[in-house]
């Protein structure tokens, strides 16, 4: 466990807040519609690192929301007419601005979300990467040409900007998920309206301030990147019910996603839902066990188990289970836990006391069902662990069908189970309501291909000899079942942010009908 001193939260705040345009003393405006405002209740944000006050935010009121959505809609009407490569140039400049502020914004992610420094800066790097991707995309919004059955006709398929895209993000990736959506949406010609988690408001304000500066330098209406900070029952409900927002991209819990999906569907809007995961890794007899152990360690305890792609279950072949689990327990017991601002720390705090309680409740439920705690699960206190949200990552021997295992607990709990045949392992892997990420460690080609086949993993992400966490931006990100079915980031995910139009042109002097229909002379 981490024992050496780390840079203090207060010193880090003093170093980075001025560069990011944030105030540590006054209330930061929590709404942006081309100008900053926010007349709602003041939100106090405390750092999970030590419980100290980071800053205050004036949240958006319903009137502020109305200003923001109206401004975003107005900005969209001009933005959509800008050629896509010109839009890409704005995104490119935003990516470069992020490069300049990567250390500061990365540290802010650590301060506000409790991520270790490497993960904080890594998240900003994801923003930079998706901006680069969107710049290239701005010159590749390809349609199709389609053969017509009618002489003197041609058909094509084109893609047009959609409108205002609502973005609802979660605390665990407070900046990257917004950028996944906003960079692609901007390249596609859309404006965005962001409702971030109330647990991470300062990172959202910092991101929008950077975007505002880039837009103003180019004479672009900065309301294409609008912001409303507020709770779900007020601001979130306004956003999901708003017919002026044709697409809502929501990242968070399955419970939240069900509500968003139902409300938006009732008004015939679209959704991109990125919800819970209950990700498993199968460890086969032929696996490189050192490789598997490293992948499981990062997947299970990275971000203190607070990723949607966190490894929550391992399914180990019975012939190697005892040996492998013993090695994993030893690795867990040597994890450096402490301030995420200290280089070398691998496990920082959970986001808040509610997360700690949820973890303790899940451990108690697992034990009641017959689970065996192999290590961890303690709440840490003392000078080294101020704030009260530090825990030791927990390994529990469990059964897949237990309700607590079927449910995603957003904490570093890893359930261990065994299997005899690959078919049994795949059935266990698939035997949960969620379907986000999955992996198998094997050097057997047949096993790997079986896992990747139609009768293999039912998840949106399936990996071989790579863990469940740490997706690249080039591939479409998302999952099936209660994970929501949405796709973000790479591949053809950009199509969700645009409207498709099938076009037929008649360049003849006749009017033949499709299917050979004759109608009149």
């Amino acid at each position: 466990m981490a024992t050496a001193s780390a840079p203090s939260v207060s010193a880090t705040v003093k170093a980075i807040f001025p560069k990011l345009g944030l105030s540590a003393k006054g209330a930061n405006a929590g709404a942006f519609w081309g100008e900053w405002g926010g007349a709602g209740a003041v939100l106090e944000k405390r750092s999970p690192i030590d419980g100290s006050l980071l800053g205050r935010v004036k949240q958006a009121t319903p009137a502020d929301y109305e200003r923001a959505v109206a401004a975003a809609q107005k900005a969209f009407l001009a933005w959509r007419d800008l050629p896509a490569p010109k839009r890409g140039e704005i995104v490119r400049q935003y990516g470069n601005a992020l490069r300049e502020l990567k250390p500061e914004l990365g540290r802010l992610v650590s301060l506000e979300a409790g991520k270790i420094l490497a993960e904080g800066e890594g998240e900003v790097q994801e923003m930079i990467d998706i901006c680069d991707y969107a710049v290239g995309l701005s010159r590749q919004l390809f349609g199709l040409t389609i053969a017509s059955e009618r002489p003197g006709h041609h058909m094509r398929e084109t893609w047009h900007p959609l409108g205002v895209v609502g973005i609802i993000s979660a605390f665990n990736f407070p900046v990257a998920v917004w950028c996944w959506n906003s960079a692609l949406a901007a390249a596609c010609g859309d404006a965005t309206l962001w409702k971030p988690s109330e647990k991470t408001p300062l990172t959202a304000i910092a991101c929008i301030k950077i975007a505002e500066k880039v837009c103003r330098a180019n004479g672009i209406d900065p309301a294409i990147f609008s912001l409303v900070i507020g709770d779900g029952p007020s601001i979130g409900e306004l956003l999901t019910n708003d017919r002026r927002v044709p697409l809502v991209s929501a990242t968070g819990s399955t419970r939240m996603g069900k509500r968003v999906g139902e409300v938006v569907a009732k008004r015939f809007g679209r959704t991109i839902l990125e919800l819970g995961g209950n990700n498993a890794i199968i460890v086969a007899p032929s696996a490189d066990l050192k490789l598997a152990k490293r992948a499981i360690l990062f997947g299970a305890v990275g971000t203190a188990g607070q990723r949607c792609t966190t490894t929550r279950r391992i399914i180990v072949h019975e012939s190697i289970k005892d040996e492998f689990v013993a090695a994993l327990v030893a690795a867990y017991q040597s994890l450096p836990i402490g301030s995420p601002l200290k280089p070398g720390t691998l496990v920082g705090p959970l986001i808040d006391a509610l997360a700690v309680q949820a973890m303790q409740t899940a451990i108690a439920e697992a034990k009641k069902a017959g689970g065996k705690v192999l290590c961890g699960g303690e709440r840490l206190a003392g000078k080294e662990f101020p704030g009260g949200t530090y825990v030791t990552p927990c390994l529990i021997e469990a059964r897949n069908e237990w309700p607590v295992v079927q449910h995603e607990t957003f904490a570093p709990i890893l359930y261990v189970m065994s299997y005899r045949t690959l078919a049994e392992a795949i059935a266990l892997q698939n035997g949960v309501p969620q379907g986000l990420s999955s992996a198998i460690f094997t050097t057997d080609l047949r096993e790997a291909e079986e896992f990747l086949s139609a009768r293999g993993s039912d998840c949106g992400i399936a990996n071989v000899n790579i863990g469940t966490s740490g997706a690249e931006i080039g591939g479409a990100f998302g999952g099936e079942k209660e994970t929501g079915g949405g796709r973000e980031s790479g591949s053809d995910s950009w199509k969700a942010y645009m409207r498709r139009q099938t076009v037929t042109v008649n360049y003849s002097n006749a009017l033949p009908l499709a299917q050979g229909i004759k109608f009149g002379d």
Side-chain angles (χ1 to χ4, degrees), residues 33-374:
W33 52 81
E35 59 182 275
W36 288 93
V42 173
L43 172 67
E44 290 191 344
K45 171 57 191 177
R46 295 186 175 275
S47 176
I49 295 174
D50 63 359
S52 64
L53 181 66
L54 288 178
R56 297 177 176 85
V57 176
K58 292 200 73 173
Q59 299 179 85
T61 63
D64 295 328
Y65 170 84
E66 181 59 36
R67 293 186 186 96
V69 73
Q73 190 176 40
K74 179 182 177 183
F76 162 71
L77 297 178
W79 182 246
R80 68 180 178 181
D81 286 338
L82 199 67
K86 299 292 185 183
R87 300 193 297 256
E89 170 60 16
I90 303 302
V91 177
R92 185 191 69 81
Q93 292 183 34
Y94 184 70
N96 284 343
L98 290 172
R99 283 181 170 89
E100 294 176 5
L101 290 168
K102 178 180 174 180
E104 289 80 13
L105 188 54
R107 278 165 172 73
L108 181 58
V109 171
S110 294
L111 287 177
E112 195 166 47
K115 288 189 173 186
I116 63 173
L117 288 172
E119 289 190 285
E121 289 201 20
E123 185 170 346
V124 180
Q125 186 62 49
E126 278 195 62
M127 301 175 76
I128 295 167
D129 291 345
I130 199 67
C131 285
D132 288 349
Y133 183 90
V135 173
L137 177 67
S138 69
R139 294 182 180 270
Q140 300 182 74
L141 300 173
F142 299 136
L144 297 172
T145 57
I146 305 167
S148 173
E149 69 181 65
R150 290 169 284 186
H153 290 58
H154 73 73
M155 297 173 64
R156 65 177 183 259
E157 181 180 271
T158 58
W159 295 86
H160 299 293
L162 181 62
V164 177
V165 175
I167 302 170
I168 300 173
S169 63
F171 76 85
N172 59 325
F173 278 86
V175 294
V177 167
W178 169 74
C179 207
W180 278 10
N181 285 276
S182 62
L184 294 192
C188 290
D190 301 327
T192 57
L193 180 58
W194 183 15
K195 194 205 90 62
S197 169
E198 307 95 285
K199 296 181 180 182
T200 49
L202 297 171
T203 46
I205 294 170
C207 288
I208 297 298
K209 283 184 176 288
I210 297 169
E212 178 192 10
K213 187 176 180 180
V214 170
C215 288
R216 293 199 187 283
N218 287 274
I220 299 295
D221 187 344
I224 59 169
F225 299 111
S226 293
L227 173 71
V228 281
I229 295 174
D231 61 31
S234 56
I235 301 303
E237 285 292 317
L238 289 174
L239 179 60
T240 54
N241 278 284
D242 199 327
R243 292 182 178 273
R244 294 167 293 181
V245 183
L247 171 65
V248 176
S249 177
T251 302
S253 68
T254 298
R255 179 188 60 79
M256 179 275 291
K258 285 181 178 179
R259 176 62 183 168
V260 171
E262 289 174 359
V263 172
V264 177
K266 283 181 180 179
R267 59 177 177 85
F268 296 101
R270 302 186 199 170
T271 55
I272 299 172
L273 299 177
E274 298 291 353
L275 311 177
N278 197 344
N279 316 294
I281 292 179
I282 298 170
V283 185
S286 68
D288 180 330
L289 298 185
K290 288 185 179 179
L291 198 66
K293 185 181 75 172
R294 287 185 61 193
I296 290 168
L297 205 62
F298 172 69
V301 308
T303 321
Q306 297 171 118
R307 289 184 177 220
C308 54
T309 54
T310 290
T311 306
R312 307 216 177 273
R313 298 173 295 140
I314 57 170
I315 304 164
V316 188
H317 193 270
E318 61 181 11
S319 65
I320 59 169
K321 180 190 170 193
D322 291 346
E323 171 195 355
F324 183 72
V325 171
L328 202 56
V329 168
Y332 264 55
Q333 291 174 336
S334 63
L335 285 169
I337 304 171
S339 169
L341 298 177
K342 178 179 184 280
T345 296
L346 294 183
V347 184
L350 294 182
I351 188 66
D352 55 26
L354 290 176
V356 175
Q357 185 55 53
M359 179 178 179
Q360 299 303 313
T361 299
I363 293 171
E365 289 180 11
K367 289 168 69 175
K368 185 177 179 180
K372 179 182 178 183
V373 175
L374 303 176

Side-chain angles (χ1 to χ4, degrees), residues 440-517:
I440 186 171
F441 278 78
T442 180
T443 55
D444 186 319
L445 178 63
R446 289 178 175 176
E447 285 189 326
E449 292 298 335
E450 179 82 7
F451 179 75
L452 298 175
S453 73
R455 59 177 177 265
S457 169
D458 66 358
C459 294
I461 299 169
N463 297 328
V464 176
N465 296 327
I466 303 171
T468 61
S469 197
E472 297 182 35
I473 59 96
F477 180 89
E480 302 299 326
K481 302 187 292 189
E482 289 190 3
T483 300
R487 292 298 186 274
E488 293 172 335
S489 193
S491 186
D492 65 349
S493 298
W494 61 270
K495 293 180 178 179
Y497 303 91
M498 304 195 81
R499 58 181 179 87
R500 185 196 309 249
Q501 192 169 74
T502 301
V503 177
T504 306
V505 175
N506 178 7
Y507 57 90
S508 74
N509 58 4
L511 192 65
L513 301 178
Q515 292 83 49
I517 294 173

